[in-house]
């Protein structure tokens, strides 16, 4: 199924998913303690959002020791791949998926996850009727010795 803007998480929902991808499963109170202030949400607002995220299939809710515990139901690489493909198609109007190497400096993706994302993007190209050359063109090894500095900055941190 293709990605659409309607099934993509909002920015606050993505912040919650990122937290749960790192921590695995947390109570609503623990999630609130971690992201509530940054989102500017009360505890009751956060609980409402968690329930909606569960209804949307983004989170899995379980009871542990009488407390609701939430975990990400959607995988990190699968969701990010969907978001990348949606953005590439809907916003950039690209005919092919971007190279996963674009995300080599991501603090969110491990080397294994980057390889998984690369495979997902290649598979989407093949499913969309692109040839093997196009699929190979989106792959490149993860650069070694790269920094996490933004593009267009000098080594001293200023704009180049």
């Amino acid at each position: 199924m293709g990605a659409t803007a309607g099934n993509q998480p909002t920015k606050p929902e993505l912040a919650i998913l990122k937290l749960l991808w790192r921590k695995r499963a947390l109570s609503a109170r623990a999630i609130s303690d971690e992201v509530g202030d940054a989102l500017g949400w009360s505890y009751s607002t956060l609980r409402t959002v968690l329930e909606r995220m569960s209804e949307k299939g983004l989170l899995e809710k379980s009871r542990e020791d009488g407390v609701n515990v939430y975990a990400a139901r959607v995988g990190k690489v699968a969701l990010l791949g969907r978001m990348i493909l949606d953005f590439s198609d809907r916003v950039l109007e690209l005919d092919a998926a971007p190279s996963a190497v674009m995300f080599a400096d991501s603090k969110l993706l491990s080397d294994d996850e980057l390889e998984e994302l690369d495979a997902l993007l290649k598979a989407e190209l093949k499913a969309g009727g692109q040839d093997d050359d196009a699929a190979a063109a989106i792959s490149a090894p993860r650069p070694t010795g790269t920094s996490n500095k933004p593009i267009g900055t000098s080594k001293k941190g200023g704009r180049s």
Side-chain angles (χ1 to χ4, degrees), residues 84-99 121-131 134-135 137-138:
I84 290 165
L85 292 169
D86 175 57
F87 182 79
S88 298
D89 177 50
R90 191 172 46 86
V91 177
L92 299 177
E93 299 179 8
L94 296 175
D95 291 331
S99 171
L121 294 174
K122 280 186 197 176
E124 185 64 27
L125 267 181
K126 286 189 176 203
Q130 299 288 331
D131 61 20
I138 70 164

Coordinates of all heavy atoms in Angstrom, one line a residue, residues 84-99 121-131 134-135 137-138:
I84 N 9.5 8.8 3.5 CA 10.4 9.2 2.4 C 9.8 9.1 1.0 O 9.9 10.0 0.2 CB 11.7 8.4 2.5 CG1 12.5 8.8 3.8 CG2 12.6 8.6 1.2 CD1 13.6 7.8 4.1
L85 N 9.1 8.0 0.8 CA 8.5 7.7 -0.5 C 7.4 8.7 -0.7 O 7.2 9.2 -1.8 CB 8.0 6.3 -0.6 CG 9.1 5.2 -0.7 CD1 8.5 3.8 -0.5 CD2 9.9 5.4 -2.0
D86 N 6.6 9.0 0.3 CA 5.5 9.9 0.2 C 6.0 11.3 -0.1 O 5.5 12.0 -1.0 CB 4.7 10.0 1.5 CG 3.6 11.0 1.5 OD1 2.7 11.0 0.5 OD2 3.6 11.9 2.4
F87 N 7.0 11.8 0.6 CA 7.6 13.1 0.4 C 8.2 13.2 -1.0 O 8.0 14.2 -1.7 CB 8.7 13.4 1.5 CG 9.3 14.7 1.3 CD1 8.6 15.9 1.8 CD2 10.6 14.9 0.8 CE1 9.2 17.1 1.7 CE2 11.1 16.2 0.6 CZ 10.5 17.3 1.1
S88 N 8.9 12.1 -1.4 CA 9.6 12.1 -2.7 C 8.5 12.2 -3.9 O 8.8 12.9 -4.8 CB 10.4 10.8 -2.9 OG 11.4 10.7 -2.0
D89 N 7.4 11.5 -3.7 CA 6.4 11.6 -4.7 C 5.5 12.8 -4.6 O 5.4 13.6 -5.6 CB 5.5 10.3 -4.5 CG 4.4 10.3 -5.5 OD1 4.6 10.5 -6.7 OD2 3.2 10.0 -5.1
R90 N 5.0 13.1 -3.5 CA 4.0 14.1 -3.3 C 4.6 15.5 -3.3 O 4.0 16.4 -3.9 CB 3.2 13.9 -2.0 CG 2.0 14.7 -1.8 CD 1.2 14.3 -0.5 NE 2.0 14.1 0.6 CZ 2.4 15.1 1.5 NH1 2.0 16.3 1.3 NH2 3.1 14.8 2.5
V91 N 5.7 15.7 -2.7 CA 6.3 17.0 -2.6 C 7.3 17.3 -3.7 O 7.3 18.3 -4.4 CB 7.0 17.2 -1.2 CG1 7.6 18.6 -1.1 CG2 5.9 17.1 -0.1
L92 N 8.3 16.4 -3.9 CA 9.4 16.6 -4.8 C 9.0 16.1 -6.2 O 9.8 16.4 -7.2 CB 10.6 15.9 -4.3 CG 11.2 16.3 -3.0 CD1 12.4 15.5 -2.6 CD2 11.6 17.8 -3.0
E93 N 8.0 15.3 -6.4 CA 7.5 14.8 -7.7 C 8.6 14.0 -8.4 O 8.9 14.1 -9.6 CB 7.0 15.9 -8.6 CG 5.8 16.6 -8.0 CD 5.2 17.8 -8.8 OE1 5.7 17.9 -10.0 OE2 4.3 18.5 -8.3
L94 N 9.3 13.2 -7.6 CA 10.4 12.4 -8.1 C 9.8 11.1 -8.7 O 8.8 10.6 -8.2 CB 11.4 12.0 -7.0 CG 12.2 13.1 -6.4 CD1 13.0 12.6 -5.3 CD2 13.1 13.8 -7.5
D95 N 10.4 10.6 -9.8 CA 9.9 9.3 -10.4 C 10.5 8.1 -9.7 O 10.1 7.0 -9.8 CB 10.2 9.3 -11.9 CG 9.4 10.3 -12.6 OD1 8.3 10.6 -12.2 OD2 9.9 10.7 -13.7
A96 N 11.6 8.3 -8.9 CA 12.3 7.3 -8.3 C 12.6 7.7 -6.8 O 12.6 8.8 -6.5 CB 13.7 7.0 -8.9
A97 N 12.7 6.7 -6.0 CA 13.0 6.9 -4.6 C 14.4 7.5 -4.4 O 15.3 7.2 -5.2 CB 12.9 5.6 -3.8
P98 N 14.6 8.4 -3.4 CA 16.0 8.9 -3.2 C 16.9 7.8 -2.7 O 16.4 6.8 -2.1 CB 15.8 10.0 -2.2 CG 14.5 9.6 -1.4 CD 13.7 8.9 -2.5
S99 N 18.2 8.0 -2.7 CA 19.1 7.1 -2.2 C 19.1 7.1 -0.7 O 19.1 8.1 -0.1 CB 20.5 7.5 -2.7 OG 21.5 6.7 -2.1
L121 N 13.7 0.9 -0.1 CA 13.6 1.8 -1.2 C 13.8 1.1 -2.5 O 13.1 1.4 -3.5 CB 14.5 3.0 -1.0 CG 14.2 3.9 0.2 CD1 15.3 4.9 0.4 CD2 12.9 4.5 0.1
K122 N 14.8 0.2 -2.6 CA 15.0 -0.5 -3.8 C 13.8 -1.4 -4.2 O 13.4 -1.5 -5.4 CB 16.2 -1.5 -3.7 CG 17.6 -0.8 -3.8 CD 18.6 -1.9 -3.8 CE 20.0 -1.3 -3.5 NZ 21.0 -2.4 -3.3
A123 N 13.2 -2.0 -3.2 CA 12.1 -2.9 -3.5 C 10.9 -2.1 -4.0 O 10.2 -2.5 -4.9 CB 11.7 -3.6 -2.2
E124 N 10.8 -0.9 -3.5 CA 9.7 0.0 -3.9 C 9.9 0.4 -5.4 O 9.0 0.5 -6.2 CB 9.6 1.3 -3.1 CG 8.5 2.2 -3.4 CD 7.1 1.5 -3.2 OE1 6.9 0.7 -2.3 OE2 6.1 2.0 -3.9
L125 N 11.2 0.6 -5.8 CA 11.5 1.0 -7.2 C 11.1 -0.2 -8.1 O 10.5 0.0 -9.1 CB 13.0 1.2 -7.3 CG 13.5 2.7 -7.2 CD1 15.0 2.7 -7.4 CD2 12.8 3.6 -8.1
K126 N 11.5 -1.4 -7.7 CA 11.2 -2.6 -8.5 C 9.7 -2.8 -8.6 O 9.2 -3.1 -9.6 CB 11.9 -3.8 -7.9 CG 13.4 -3.8 -8.2 CD 14.0 -5.2 -7.9 CE 15.5 -5.1 -8.3 NZ 16.0 -6.4 -8.5
A127 N 9.0 -2.6 -7.5 CA 7.5 -2.7 -7.5 C 6.9 -1.7 -8.4 O 5.8 -2.0 -9.0 CB 7.0 -2.6 -6.1
G128 N 7.5 -0.5 -8.5 CA 7.0 0.5 -9.3 C 7.4 0.4 -10.8 O 7.1 1.3 -11.6
G129 N 8.1 -0.7 -11.1 CA 8.4 -0.9 -12.5 C 9.8 -0.4 -13.0 O 10.1 -0.4 -14.1
Q130 N 10.6 0.1 -12.0 CA 11.9 0.6 -12.4 C 12.8 -0.6 -12.6 O 12.6 -1.6 -12.1 CB 12.5 1.5 -11.2 CG 11.6 2.7 -10.9 CD 11.7 3.8 -12.0 OE1 12.7 3.9 -12.7 NE2 10.6 4.5 -12.1
D131 N 13.8 -0.4 -13.5 CA 14.7 -1.5 -13.8 C 15.8 -1.6 -12.7 O 15.9 -0.8 -11.8 CB 15.4 -1.3 -15.2 CG 16.2 0.0 -15.3 OD1 16.6 0.6 -14.2 OD2 16.4 0.5 -16.4
A134 N 18.2 1.4 -12.2 CA 17.7 2.4 -11.4 C 17.7 2.1 -9.9 O 18.1 2.9 -9.1 CB 16.2 2.7 -11.8
A135 N 17.4 0.8 -9.6 CA 17.5 0.4 -8.2 C 18.9 0.4 -7.7 O 19.2 0.8 -6.6 CB 17.0 -1.1 -8.1
A137 N 21.2 2.4 -8.7 CA 21.6 3.8 -8.6 C 21.3 4.5 -7.3 O 21.9 5.5 -6.9 CB 21.0 4.6 -9.8
I138 N 20.3 4.0 -6.6 CA 19.9 4.6 -5.3 C 20.8 4.1 -4.2 O 20.7 4.6 -3.1 CB 18.4 4.4 -5.0 CG1 18.1 3.0 -4.6 CG2 17.5 5.0 -6.0 CD1 16.8 2.9 -3.9

